[in-house]
Amino acid sequence: MKPLPVGPAGVPAAPDASASAAALAPSVPAPDPSPSLPAPRKPGRDRYLDLLRTLALVRVVVYHLFGWAWLTVLFPSMGVMFALAGSLMARSLKRPAPGVIRGRIRRLLPPLWVFSAVVLAMMFAAGWNISEDPDHSGTLGMVELLNYVVPVGAPPYPWSLGDKTGLLEQTWAVQSAGVLWYLRAYLWFVLASPLLLWAFRRFPWPTLLAPLGLTAVVGTGLVTIPGETGNAVTDFAVYGSCWILGFAHHEGMLQKIPRYLAVSCSALVMAFGLWWASGHLGPDGWDLNDIPLAQATWSFGFVVILLQYSPSWQELPGRLKRWDRLVTLSNSRAMTIYLWHNLLIMATVPILDRLYELPFMDDRMVGWLDSTYMVWMFVLVWPLIGLAIVSVGWVEDLAAKRSPRLWPDGTGKPSRPGAHSGPRSGPGSGSGSRPRARARAR
């Protein structure tokens, strides 16, 4: 449950200056539009990008629940989420950079603060004492707690907390706080974006490919940076090219490259990623999260193809329309879904365990529940995510200086055709009857 992450896509088109002039001087007939010119784009969000973000979030939840390594190959969610965020950042940087960065940070922090307050309260209530934690003791440990307020680094958390008979398994703190790596990477990209965009506009190809080169250095063991600093630099390198691909998408660079050439080169880069992964399989086999260079190259090629075929839908076409409200809701609450989903996956376990206490649970029913336990976890986690959206999702609205909404799925609010509510900016198993979620959201 890496991405997300992760948030997040379209932008209303600027009003036509000629149309405004015609409105002020209606007595002057407007010239007939040239038939060779394309029709002006209708205002509204890019629903194709919104759909990609929704798919990325769903994939992150499914991956953290079932732990299927092949999902990292099927759909590299975090690369997609960083690319979408990079495109939005490039668009926003038409305005002065300091104001854009302040706005992004303002939207990022309040949802983090609510999440941090709950998780830290649970840790302290469970008996965690950071001053006695051998991994985070002393003054440095207290300073590291500030990463729960501003995620410039890795927040501290205990690797084991509670006991085996508790409601949550002993690694729940790792599972809950581990997702914050994405917010750290997102913040680093936001702060670096003015410089990265400046470099991209002057040296597009070197800037686009430089993170892949950095990954080949720090993500393969050629150069080792110890501790969380090394993890942060590796994350920045692995997903840096995806972020800059968002710049390329916004600037129209990808559309200037012949599609056959872009797809062919991307396929070669992705093939290299799979080849590299085949010789560097980690403890979970083909899980690309454990293989930085494979993750970087596979995500890069995958994102190029997605953005090269980007149809820029003003509304979801055909049968996809039935998912319009879900897509709008998930984009409006991308940060909430990402932050809380791992904790909520674990919360399904004590709820489902109550079923074993029902009077009609004989040996046959117990066996059936054991064999379908993770399916019921999957079914139950979505109502819990919905509850989180209603309970704390409105903080995202306050952070964006919008009126708070409990269920922003685009209904009950008049809007012009093609316009959809949603965010304008954004930031990723065990065995037996008590499976555990994955610690790092990818």
Side-chain angles (χ1 to χ4, degrees):
M1 248 225 7
K2 255 169 173 232
L4 30 113
V6 255
V11 53
D16 190 344
S18 62
S20 301
L24 294 175
S27 60
V28 179
D32 293 334
S34 171
S36 63
L37 294 178
R41 181 179 175 182
K42 295 179 181 180
R45 293 178 57 82
D46 189 329
R47 300 301 277 170
Y48 174 73
L49 300 185
D50 285 350
L51 177 63
L52 290 182
R53 186 176 296 105
T54 298
L55 292 175
L57 287 169
V58 171
R59 203 284 279 161
V60 165
V61 175
V62 173
Y63 168 76
H64 286 161
L65 176 57
F66 294 101
W68 294 329
W70 54 267
L71 285 174
T72 64
V73 178
L74 178 65
F75 195 87
S77 287
M78 306 317 296
V80 172
M81 292 174 68
F82 279 119
L84 300 181
S87 180
L88 281 172
M89 191 66 185
R91 185 202 74 193
S92 297
L93 283 173
K94 294 178 181 178
R95 307 191 304 271
V100 173
I101 292 175
R102 285 196 302 270
R104 288 293 187 273
I105 294 176
R106 187 192 67 239
R107 296 184 184 210
L108 176 72
L109 295 185
L112 169 64
W113 294 340
V114 174
F115 176 79
S116 297
V118 172
V119 170
L120 284 175
M122 292 175 62
M123 290 181 189
F124 294 144
W128 182 48
N129 187 342
I130 191 171
S131 63
E132 298 177 359
D133 190 322
D135 296 323
H136 306 286
S137 59
T139 304
L140 180 60
M142 299 302 294
V143 172
E144 288 178 339
L145 280 176
L146 295 177
N147 289 307
Y148 282 104
V149 181
V150 181
V152 294
Y157 43 78
W159 286 90
S160 179
L161 188 63
D163 56 69
K164 295 181 179 180
T165 61
L167 288 177
L168 299 176
E169 66 165 290
Q170 292 175 291
T171 62
W172 70 266
V174 177
Q175 311 302 323
S176 301
V179 301
L180 297 181
W181 77 268
Y182 173 71
L183 274 67
R184 174 188 64 196
Y186 176 82
L187 180 58
W188 280 35
F189 281 127
V190 166
L191 295 175
S193 282
L195 178 60
L196 290 176
L197 186 58
W198 176 89
F200 173 77
R201 286 171 173 169
R202 286 156 180 78
F203 314 102
W205 287 108
T207 305
L208 181 61
L209 300 177
L212 295 178
L214 180 60
T215 304
V217 174
V218 301
T220 62
L222 185 62
V223 173
T224 301
I225 303 176
E228 282 299 328
T229 300
N231 290 335
V233 172
T234 300
D235 290 337
F236 189 86
V238 167
Y239 298 106
S241 286
C242 290
W243 185 275
I244 298 171
L245 276 174
F247 294 173
H249 175 260
H250 177 267
E251 300 284 302
M253 173 183 170
L254 294 180
Q255 285 66 39
K256 297 177 183 178
I257 303 173
R259 180 169 292 176
Y260 77 91
L261 182 60
V263 173
S264 300
C265 293
S266 297
L268 290 175
V269 173
M270 295 168 71
F272 169 81
L274 293 182
W275 171 79
W276 181 266
S278 67
H280 300 81
L281 298 181
D284 295 317
W286 284 85
D287 192 325
L288 299 187
N289 294 323
D290 300 326
I291 316 169
L293 185 57
Q295 178 74 284
T297 50
W298 180 263
S299 298
F300 178 84
F302 197 96
V303 169
V304 167
I305 294 174
L306 286 180
L307 297 182
Q308 180 67 232
Y309 280 88
S310 178
S312 297
W313 294 326
Q314 292 300 297
E315 59 182 29
L316 295 177
R319 295 182 179 180
L320 290 176
K321 286 184 179 180
R322 71 183 66 177
W323 304 103
D324 185 83
R325 293 170 61 182
L326 175 62
V327 171
T328 300
L329 177 66
S330 61
N331 278 265
S332 299
R333 293 293 180 261
M335 183 67 72
T336 299
I337 295 171
Y338 179 82
L339 281 173
W340 292 90
H341 77 275
N342 240 15
L343 183 60
L344 296 176
I345 287 174
M346 289 178 289
T348 63
V349 173
I351 297 174
L352 290 174
D353 280 354
R354 302 286 77 78
L355 296 178
Y356 290 100
E357 302 172 2
L358 296 175
F360 57 81
M361 292 296 291
D362 54 18
D363 290 343
R364 182 178 63 85
M365 292 295 294
V366 168
W368 173 80
L369 182 57
D370 283 344
S371 63
T372 60
Y373 197 95
M374 295 193 70
V375 175
W376 291 112
M377 288 179 67
F378 176 77
V379 172
L380 182 56
V381 73
W382 299 108
L384 293 181
I385 289 175
L387 182 61
I389 288 173
V390 172
S391 302
V392 299
W394 51 269
V395 176
E396 291 194 55
D397 292 326
L398 295 182
K401 296 185 177 180
R402 295 190 297 254
S403 298
R405 298 165 293 170
L406 292 181
W407 197 256
D409 62 354
T411 60
K413 180 180 179 181
S415 61
R416 58 184 178 274
H420 297 263
S421 62
R424 290 175 175 267
S425 65
S429 59
S431 58
S433 65
R434 297 174 68 93
R436 68 181 182 88
R438 311 277 293 191
R440 283 175 63 80
R442 299 293 185 182

